[in-house]
Amino acid sequence: MNTFCTYALHQIEVAVLSVVAIIDKLTEEDLFVRPTADKHSVGELLKHIAVICRADFLISGGATQEEMSAYYAGVSLNNLKDIQAELLTSYSYLAQAFHEMSDEELHREVASYWGATYTRYEWLLEILAHLYHHRGQLHAMLVHCNGKDPKVPLFE
């Protein structure tokens, strides 16, 4: 596997494992906390985070908007245990897929259904950024809006 992919996947794994650790500190009731009325609840955000690796990988492969809608409709995460399991499964799926890619595949440009075009490697970096963005959002929601600091290291 490409060395740079190894490094990027390691950083994604760091983010995933820190979210798993944060989930370990939550109760099922925490899923319903909604700091801002018209924004995601903690549970809705966690459900989104849980599928980022697989969903964004599908997008990076050229999935259509209809295919992504069907994917999201097929995901049912009803509790903390389900969210954790999907997060880990989604990461494993992504890591396995990138382990199998040749350098030629990593350099192939793919357009998303909304028109953004990146190489497969750049999509991997997008996935990394997307995951870190929402992990920071989750942490801020818990600490500043819910008064619940999970005391989980976010970086190595």
Side-chain angles (χ1 to χ4, degrees):
M1 176 171 58
N2 177 291
T3 304
F4 294 110
C5 286
T6 300
Y7 300 148
L9 286 166
H10 173 71
Q11 291 305 310
I12 292 170
E13 182 180 37
V14 168
V16 165
L17 293 178
S18 64
V19 173
V20 166
I22 289 170
I23 292 170
D24 279 338
K25 306 282 181 134
L26 301 178
T27 66
E28 295 296 330
E29 292 75 34
D30 290 323
L31 295 175
F32 301 101
V33 171
R34 185 180 306 276
T36 307
D38 60 341
K39 299 296 182 184
H40 288 307
S41 68
V42 169
E44 290 164 342
L45 180 57
L46 280 170
K47 290 174 187 179
H48 177 68
I49 291 170
V51 300
I52 286 174
C53 291
R54 186 186 306 253
D56 285 8
F57 177 78
L58 295 172
I59 291 167
S60 81
T64 66
Q65 187 171 7
E66 295 76 22
E67 290 169 330
M68 291 312 300
S69 292
Y71 168 74
Y72 292 126
V75 176
S76 178
L77 304 173
N78 300 310
N79 56 55
L80 292 168
K81 184 179 175 183
D82 290 348
I83 292 168
Q84 269 186 332
E86 181 59 30
L87 179 59
L88 292 167
T89 300
S90 182
Y91 169 72
S92 293
Y93 178 89
L94 176 73
Q96 183 62 40
F98 271 92
H99 275 100
E100 295 172 0
M101 276 191 206
S102 67
D103 282 350
E104 182 179 306
E105 290 172 303
L106 289 170
H107 288 91
R108 184 169 62 91
E109 288 189 347
V110 179
S112 67
Y113 63 82
W114 64 87
T117 301
Y118 301 120
T119 65
R120 293 304 295 266
Y121 179 70
E122 287 175 301
W123 279 113
L124 180 62
L125 298 179
E126 268 300 303
I127 294 166
L128 173 65
H130 191 185
L131 194 57
Y132 272 73
H133 162 73
H134 286 307
R135 184 189 65 172
Q137 197 176 32
L138 173 66
H139 189 266
M141 285 171 72
L142 293 172
V143 172
H144 301 295
C145 302
N146 199 25
K148 189 171 196 169
D149 186 348
K151 298 189 186 319
V152 170
L154 300 180
F155 301 95
E156 290 182 309

